[in-house]
């Protein structure tokens, strides 16, 4: 990789008598290049081999078995488990944005009665359809493929307050949906992907004690909170 115009018109890679910071540019570029190489090796310029895989699928299944719940608050609460995906088959040199929204998983409102979730009438109207844009967007296909893509910063709220938070109706079931959009030149949707194991019911407080126990067992932040509470 050759970059002109840096270090006062000097081509990167040529000896430079100036400050050490100028000489570091070529080293920095080679580090970036090697980091993205892993992503390129999984690339496919045609996107015909595109594959999106849910990370920690077994953990998601544990929660689904007892009907997963996610807390929504006025100020916004992060999800656990965290939605993470591995992607291969993108064009390594094309630019993509990753977006996430939450689709109603059914046409019911739910309530927790006598230790189980039961349907409870018609759902509330779907809101404005907030979409979360992954903060790394837009970025090269090689970047998205080099490591799992984590949506750890998504916050779920029950109040429309902007700031990139996702507003959901409490006591409704949702399924996160990932959208991969190719950007630059002509924008186009590459794929929409969702996983039924990631469905959950939005709640303002956990209803099922089994869910509470699972969250404490597997979420390191919940453990810290529990320890502080006991102290």
């Amino acid at each position: 990789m050759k970059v002109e115009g840096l270090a006062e018109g000097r081509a990167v890679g040529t000896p430079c008598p100036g400050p050490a910071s100028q000489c570091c540019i070529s080293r920095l570029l080679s580090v970036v290049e090697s980091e993205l190489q892993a992503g390129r090796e999984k690339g496919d310029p045609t996107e015909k081999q595109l594959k999106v895989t849910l990370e920690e699928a077994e953990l998601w299944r544990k929660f689904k078995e007892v009907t997963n719940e996610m807390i929504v608050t006025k100020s916004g609460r992060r999800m656990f488990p965290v939605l993470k995906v591995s992607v291969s088959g993108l064009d390594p040199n094309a630019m993509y944005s990753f977006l996430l929204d939450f689709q109603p998983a059914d046409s019911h409102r739910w309530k927790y009665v006598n230790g189980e979730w039961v349907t409870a009438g018609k759902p509330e109207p779907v809101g404005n359809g907030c979409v979360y844009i992954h903060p790394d967007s837009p970025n090269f296909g090689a970047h998205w493929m080099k490591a799992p893509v984590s949506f750890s910063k998504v916050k779920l709220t029950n109040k429309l307050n902007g700031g990139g938070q996702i507003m959901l109706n409490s006591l409704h079931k949702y399924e996160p949906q990932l959208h991969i959009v190719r950007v630059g030149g002509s924008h186009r949707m590459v794929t929409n992907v969702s996983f039924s194991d990631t469905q959950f019911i939005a709640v303002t407080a956990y209803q099922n004690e089994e869910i509470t126990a699972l969250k404490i067992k597997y979420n390191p932040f919940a453990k810290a909170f529990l320890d502080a509470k006991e102290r």
Side-chain angles (χ1 to χ4, degrees):
M1 183 186 294
K2 189 178 180 183
V3 180
E4 305 288 348
L6 295 175
E8 300 179 340
R10 197 186 317 277
V12 173
T14 58
C16 63
S21 60
Q22 293 178 350
C23 297
C24 286
I25 295 172
S26 59
R27 211 174 308 143
L28 181 64
L29 288 173
S30 68
V31 169
V32 172
E33 180 70 23
S34 62
E35 188 177 334
L36 292 182
Q37 187 58 39
R40 289 199 181 92
E41 286 167 3
K42 294 195 287 184
D44 172 22
T46 66
E47 296 161 3
K48 288 179 180 176
Q49 302 297 319
L50 180 63
K51 185 178 180 182
V52 182
T53 306
L54 177 66
E55 293 284 306
E56 300 180 342
E58 189 57 41
L59 179 61
W60 281 101
R61 277 192 284 273
K62 288 180 190 292
F63 281 90
K64 189 188 180 185
E65 285 170 5
V66 286
T67 307
N68 199 2
E69 302 170 27
M70 293 284 182
I71 296 283
V72 292
T73 65
K74 185 177 179 181
S75 59
R77 179 72 68 85
R78 292 189 180 185
M79 296 171 62
F80 187 84
V82 174
L83 187 69
K84 299 176 190 171
V85 296
S86 289
V87 184
S88 61
L90 294 175
D91 180 346
N93 301 309
M95 298 290 282
Y96 301 88
S97 288
F98 278 47
L99 294 77
L100 189 68
D101 66 6
F102 292 76
Q103 297 294 323
D106 54 42
S107 55
H108 306 294
R109 186 185 174 92
W110 292 82
K111 63 180 179 181
Y112 195 71
V113 181
N114 297 326
E116 64 178 344
W117 285 101
V118 296
T119 56
K122 294 182 179 180
E124 293 178 34
V126 177
N128 293 335
C130 305
V131 174
Y132 176 86
I133 303 172
H134 193 284
D136 288 359
S137 302
N139 222 311
F140 290 105
H143 170 82
W144 296 114
M145 294 186 291
K146 72 182 180 184
V149 180
S150 172
F151 288 87
S152 60
K153 294 181 180 178
V154 176
K155 283 190 174 182
L156 308 180
T157 181
N158 55 357
K159 299 288 182 185
L160 191 59
N161 52 17
Q165 297 187 0
I166 300 292
M167 181 185 165
L168 303 178
N169 291 323
S170 184
L171 301 178
H172 291 61
K173 186 179 284 189
Y174 293 93
E175 184 170 298
Q177 185 171 222
L178 171 67
H179 309 275
I180 301 177
V181 180
R182 185 162 177 161
V183 299
S186 56
H187 285 43
R188 65 179 174 84
M189 185 71 70
V190 175
T191 190
N192 303 309
V193 185
S194 58
F195 304 93
S196 61
D197 286 342
T198 63
Q199 289 183 6
F200 63 86
I201 295 178
V203 295
T204 53
Y206 293 129
Q207 304 295 300
N208 184 352
E209 290 181 3
E210 289 183 79
I211 286 293
T212 307
L214 282 172
K215 300 266 184 178
I216 291 169
K217 182 176 181 180
Y218 291 104
N219 185 354
F221 297 105
K223 287 176 189 172
F225 173 77
L226 189 68
D227 291 343
K229 198 174 178 182
E230 286 175 351
R231 283 199 298 273

